[in-house]
Amino acid sequence: MSARILVAEDDPKQANLIRVYLEREGHSVLVVGDGRTALEQARTRRPDLVVLDVMMPQVDGLDVCRILRGESEVPILLLTARTTEDDMLLGLDVGADDYITKPYSPRELAARVRALLRRAGAVTAGTQDILKVGDLEIDPGRFEVRVGGRPIVLTAKEFGILEVLAGEPGRAFTRAQIIDRAFGFDHYVLERTVDAHVMNLRRKIEEDAAEPRYVQTVYGRGYRLAGS
């Protein structure tokens, strides 16, 4: 789901790269270049998650983290070039929920953000809402799918793709977005692999896979789950 994310990074190139990747995930991203502004924006905008570079002008990331943690429970991800165990433990001690060391993969950062947002949502297996679109029912907690009350057996990847699409019915997801969300850290997944999984998924849940009712192709974009 979309989240409001505050990114505090004084390197413009790094900040733009983070913004691009997180916006690809569907998030609303505000970028600031120093710790003082980060504190001001965190207090006024009340973001769902904060990404902090440790080395920043005016107020460094560790101090920003310490202050924010004293004021709220907002998830905080630290970016640091310091790689010693003591430095990493210090970041956690001042209240960070997670940290990532530079240089890092933007996909790894996006995955860490997803994990923190899931954790902050306190979603536990078996307690998630059942998603319904027409006769299609998706139970994420039980890893179950039914069409017209009939259980459908899906592979983990097929279920993952369906769950991504069902999270925002009607929204068109690119193949890259589906790979990032449903496949995680698998860097070797090709976009055409998504097409193959979608084809198999349609054969299982659609009355006519050639004219799908649920998983629809958005030409030039990717796939979407039809709205209810």
Side-chain angles (χ1 to χ4, degrees):
M1 300 296 289
S2 177
R4 295 166 299 165
I5 298 178
L6 173 64
V7 175
E9 167 63 76
D10 64 331
D11 183 328
K13 290 184 179 180
Q14 287 293 319
N16 186 61
L17 184 63
I18 295 170
R19 179 186 59 78
V20 168
Y21 261 78
L22 294 182
E23 286 182 347
R24 274 184 53 187
E25 295 276 308
H27 302 305
S28 174
V29 181
L30 173 65
V31 175
V32 299
D34 64 81
R36 182 173 300 168
T37 305
L39 281 171
E40 293 172 354
Q41 293 300 319
R43 288 164 172 162
T44 58
R45 300 293 184 95
R46 303 185 68 83
D48 299 307
L49 184 141
V50 178
V51 178
L52 289 175
D53 182 25
V54 169
M55 301 297 291
M56 286 192 298
Q58 298 189 30
V59 183
D60 73 22
L62 292 177
D63 285 336
V64 173
C65 182
R66 184 183 295 109
I67 294 168
L68 287 180
R69 183 53 69 234
E71 299 175 351
S72 77
E73 294 300 318
V74 62
I76 298 173
L77 173 62
L78 284 181
L79 309 178
T80 178
R82 301 170 179 173
T83 58
T84 69
E85 183 179 21
D86 286 344
D87 287 326
M88 296 175 187
L89 291 175
L90 177 60
L92 297 176
D93 285 342
V94 298
D97 295 277
D98 198 1
Y99 62 85
I100 187 168
T101 58
K102 298 180 179 181
Y104 54 83
S105 159
R107 290 184 65 184
E108 180 185 1
L109 183 142
R112 297 286 187 98
V113 166
R114 288 197 300 273
L116 286 176
L117 289 172
R118 283 197 302 269
R119 196 182 309 163
V123 176
T124 57
T127 64
Q128 300 178 55
D129 292 337
I130 294 177
L131 306 170
K132 296 183 179 181
V133 177
D135 292 332
L136 176 66
E137 296 183 1
I138 305 161
D139 188 336
R142 296 180 180 274
F143 197 76
E144 293 178 350
V145 174
R146 292 177 292 276
V147 176
R150 177 173 58 91
I152 305 295
V153 178
L154 300 180
T155 67
K157 291 295 187 289
E158 291 163 359
F159 187 91
I161 291 172
L162 185 59
E163 187 177 15
V164 168
L165 299 179
E168 297 182 62
R171 174 184 170 181
F173 288 86
T174 66
R175 291 167 178 82
Q177 288 172 327
I178 292 172
I179 289 171
D180 283 345
R181 297 186 183 203
F183 292 72
F185 290 106
D186 193 340
H187 291 267
Y188 300 98
V189 175
L190 300 176
E191 291 194 352
R192 64 174 177 267
T193 303
V194 175
D195 298 333
H197 284 299
V198 167
M199 184 181 300
N200 291 332
L201 177 60
R202 283 172 169 166
R203 288 170 179 161
K204 295 179 179 181
I205 69 171
E206 303 283 2
E207 184 174 341
D208 183 353
E211 295 185 13
R213 173 186 176 188
Y214 300 113
V215 180
Q216 301 176 345
T217 300
V218 180
Y219 294 100
R221 179 69 177 173
Y223 298 100
R224 70 181 175 197
L225 188 71
S228 57

